[in-house]
Structure formats: structure tokens, C-alpha cells
Amino acid sequence: MDEVHTLKESFLKELNSARSLPDIRQLKIKYLGKKGMITSMLRNLTSIAPELRPEYGSRINDLKRLVSEEIEKKENILKTDEYKRLISSSTLDITLPGKFTPFGREHPVNKILSEIISIFVYMGFEVEEGPEVELDYYNFEALNIPKDHPARDMQDTFYISEEVVLRTHTSPVQIRVMENRRPPLNVIAPGKVYRCDSDISHTPMFHQVEGFMVDTDISFSHLKGVLESFIHSFFDLKTPVRFRPSYFPFTEPSAEVDIGCNFCSGNGCRVCKNTGWIEILGAGMINPHVFEMVGYDKNVYSGFAFGMGVERLVMLKFSIDDIRLFFENDLRFLRQF
Ligand code: PHE
């Protein structure tokens, strides 16, 4: 019994003089390690007279518990001390200015694209997407533009192979959606399109938003209503809107939609080529041939479609006169939005 008592005394003394974390580690090994003093005492229990064993055993266990607890306590104190010392001795100068992390921002085209999408979503349109690398079939054929059709010359196509192109417009999404779903449909399809063309008002890649509505009784007045609402909410309630007869193989009748030139208030200027009007999108009633291509009954369904160029809308909204500015990544330009 005295042995246990002596061990406790010597432990407490040593603990008291332990000054560092390595000291504590040593103590732990000395008393509690595999070959430590308490461990071997427990192992030697068999050499004690059986009637003394229970009491002796329990005293050693009490000591073991006390030793572990005391070691842990001291360890925590020393750790905290060490931490405090590190902080006070460190050369970190918290009054120095931090490193500047520049913030990025949304590209003006993406910003306006989100705005366009949210206007249509507000009107109840769903958003669908299609591939930028597209089959000739979806980009042309199914849209009533056969191989020898002169309309193919209207769009300077990047061909990947005989049957695969970079889509020249977002209209192929009309076909993909109609093939997979039944009316009523109320869909917009935003995305990138590609044409082999480059000058002050054309870049080889630009963005379009396609839109279409198909049901049993859709008329041209629905088209007018939707587009006028869009233009008035995107530009200004007072912006004049004009529908001008036009031609697209996949719509009949077709129209181009102009807005009153906001550079000269309709008086005529360089931007509107003295007409007072600026074209912003193509539209029309979906051609019955297109419905046949997707297996819709042309006697049951009618619908309208439109497609607009996003860069063009951004240029009009912010009075930008060169489309190439969007893709030069000049920060002096991009920071203005
Ligand atoms: N796809 C046509 C274009 O890119 C625009 C359009 C879409 C016209 C839908 C009519 C209907 O020029």
C-alpha cells in the first residue's frame, strides 16, 4: 500500500516541476506507458496475496485515473501558454494593409441575357437548351431549309463535317423540343451561335434567344402581344415597335421586328441608316412543314417563333457601336457595366 502512496507522491512532485509539453510526454511514458510504473504494478498484481488483491488493485486503478487526469490538465495549460506565447512573440503586424483581391463581375452580354430570360420566365416561358455542335438536320433540314435552298447562303456556316455544323441559330432547339414533347409549349432557348463572319457588327460567335409557343389556337396576335410586352419591358414603355413582312423558311408568314431608333429618336442617323428604325429580331408563325417534320398534326396545332440577337440588344441598350468590344476583354470597357 505504501508503494502506491509513494508513487503518487513522486508523480505529483514530478508533475509540478514539468515545464514543457515534452516534459509531460516523458511523464506520460514513465507512468502510463506500456512499460510504465503503474502499468507494471497492475501486471504484478498476481504476486500479491489473493486476499489483498482487490483493495490493492482498486488503489492502483484510482492512481492511474488521477495520473491521466492530472497529465491532461497540465497538458492543456501548457498548450494554452504556448499558444499565448506564440501570439505575443510573433512578428505579425495586423495593422498592415491586406492583399487586394480583385472582384470579377458579370460580362455585359451575360448580364443582359439573364435580364432577357427573366422577362420571359415572368411571362410563363420555360428555358430549354440545345447543343452548339449540331446536326445539319436540326440546323437546316427539319427547319425547312433543304440542301440546295438559297437560304443556306444567308448564313455562313462553319461545317465540322458534311452532316455536322456549328449551329448558325438557336432555331434547331425548336425541333429538338417539339420532337420530345407535346403542346402546349411555351419555351425560350438562349445560347451561343456561330457564323463565319467578322466586322464592326458581326463576330463569329454571338448569342441568340429563341422563343416559341405552340398550342391549338395560337395566332399572330399572340406573337405581337408577347414581343411588344418584351420590348416594352426590356427598353421602355414608349419604345415604338414595328412588324415588317419578311421571309424565313421555317415561319409563314414571317416578320422582322424593328424598334424606333433610340439614338436619334426616329429622326434618322448613322446607326439606323436614316430610317429611324432598327431591326432587333426575326419572327413568324411556325411553318406547317416544320410541324410535319416533328410529327405534329398541322391541322390541330399552330404556333409562333422568334429569334433575337443578344449582343445587338446590349449594344442598343448601352449605345455601344462596335460588337467586337464584347470579346476583346479590355477591362476599361468591361468595368463600365
Ligand atoms: N433563326 C432566325 C435567324 O437566326 C431568327 C428566327 C427565329 C426567325 C425564329 C423566325 C423565327 O435569323
Side-chain angles (χ1 to χ4, degrees):
M1 296 294 171
D2 277 355
E3 209 184 344
V4 180
H5 184 73
T6 317
L7 195 59
K8 181 175 167 183
E9 292 294 298
S10 70
F11 166 74
L12 290 174
K13 212 189 279 162
E14 283 178 67
L15 181 73
N16 199 30
S17 54
R19 287 281 166 270
S20 68
L21 286 169
D23 288 353
I24 289 290
R25 216 164 298 128
Q26 283 304 317
L27 262 188
K28 214 176 193 171
I29 294 169
K30 180 169 176 186
Y31 286 89
L32 300 173
K34 255 200 207 116
K35 291 183 188 139
M37 296 169 85
I38 296 179
T39 321
S40 29
M41 270 176 124
L42 281 168
R43 205 176 296 124
N44 291 337
L45 218 53
T46 39
S47 57
I48 306 284
E51 65 276 17
L52 295 176
R53 255 182 235 165
E55 155 129 58
Y56 189 68
S58 97
R59 286 197 54 192
I60 302 176
N61 274 323
D62 286 349
L63 176 63
K64 190 178 174 184
R65 199 172 315 116
L66 175 119
V67 169
S68 330
E69 282 170 9
E70 290 301 318
I71 283 184
E72 200 185 316
K73 249 190 256 167
K74 183 94 182 211
E75 214 172 16
N76 284 337
I77 292 171
L78 286 173
K79 270 186 190 157
T80 317
D81 286 353
E82 174 107 353
Y83 187 60
K84 279 187 192 148
R85 196 166 48 242
L86 260 178
I87 289 183
S88 60
S89 73
S90 104
T91 49
L92 186 70
D93 181 353
I94 56 167
T95 63
L96 282 174
K99 278 190 195 134
F100 176 68
T101 310
F103 277 100
R105 67 184 76 192
E106 227 178 353
H107 190 279
V109 170
N110 277 329
K111 197 168 163 163
I112 293 300
L113 191 56
S114 316
E115 194 178 320
I116 296 170
I117 292 171
S118 63
I119 293 173
F120 282 107
V121 166
Y122 178 76
M123 286 196 264
F125 284 77
E126 289 174 63
V127 180
E128 291 264 16
E129 284 180 313
E132 290 169 29
V133 180
E134 184 56 285
L135 291 172
D136 180 281
Y137 176 79
Y138 288 105
N139 195 77
F140 294 121
E141 212 85 9
L143 286 162
N144 200 32
I145 316 176
K147 282 235 150 59
D148 56 353
H149 197 285
R152 289 209 180 193
D153 299 336
M154 285 162 42
Q155 306 183 344
D156 312 274
T157 311
F158 285 112
Y159 278 89
I160 304 284
S161 69
E162 186 90 357
E163 294 304 327
V164 182
V165 301
L166 293 186
R167 66 177 179 190
T168 57
H169 52 177
T170 40
S171 299
V173 186
Q174 288 184 40
I175 306 296
R176 289 184 174 273
V177 171
M178 286 194 277
E179 272 185 353
N180 286 314
R181 298 173 52 181
R182 308 297 303 173
L185 293 173
N186 212 13
V187 172
I188 54 164
K192 294 183 171 70
V193 300
Y194 301 84
R195 289 183 201 177
C196 190
D197 208 350
S198 185
D199 60 38
I200 186 168
S201 52
H202 298 89
T203 47
M205 184 281 295
F206 61 101
H207 297 76
Q208 284 191 336
V209 175
E210 191 82 7
F212 54 101
M213 187 181 284
V214 184
D215 205 347
T216 48
D217 52 3
I218 301 298
S219 71
F220 203 94
S221 40
H222 292 113
L223 173 61
K224 286 191 82 173
V226 165
L227 288 180
E228 275 175 13
S229 303
F230 166 73
I231 290 164
H232 287 154
S233 122
F234 182 78
F235 289 105
D236 187 291
L237 270 180
K238 292 189 285 279
T239 303
V241 183
R242 173 173 89 167
F243 284 69
R244 185 165 37 76
S246 185
Y247 171 76
F248 297 101
F250 35 93
T251 46
E252 183 59 34
S254 302
E256 274 171 323
V257 178
D258 301 335
I259 58 166
C261 179
N262 56 351
F263 290 87
C264 61
S265 312
N267 295 321
C269 67
R270 190 178 58 87
V271 180
C272 60
K273 298 190 184 96
N274 283 316
T275 62
W277 295 94
I278 298 176
E279 182 212 318
I280 59 160
L281 58 89
M285 301 308 293
I286 296 175
N287 193 313
H289 285 148
V290 172
F291 284 144
E292 277 171 357
M293 295 299 273
V294 298
Y296 283 6
D297 187 339
K298 63 178 182 196
N299 299 312
V300 175
Y301 295 116
S302 57
F304 68 71
F306 59 84
M308 61 182 85
V310 179
E311 280 77 359
R312 180 132 212 177
L313 292 177
V314 185
M315 289 169 80
L316 289 172
K317 192 147 187 165
F318 297 127
S319 307
I320 297 163
D321 59 6
D322 187 340
I323 193 174
R324 292 169 299 195
L325 283 166
F326 291 129
F327 306 111
E328 282 166 356
N329 287 334
D330 185 333
L331 292 178
R332 289 168 304 177
F333 172 75
L334 295 174
R335 282 203 178 110
Q336 295 177 50
F337 302 93

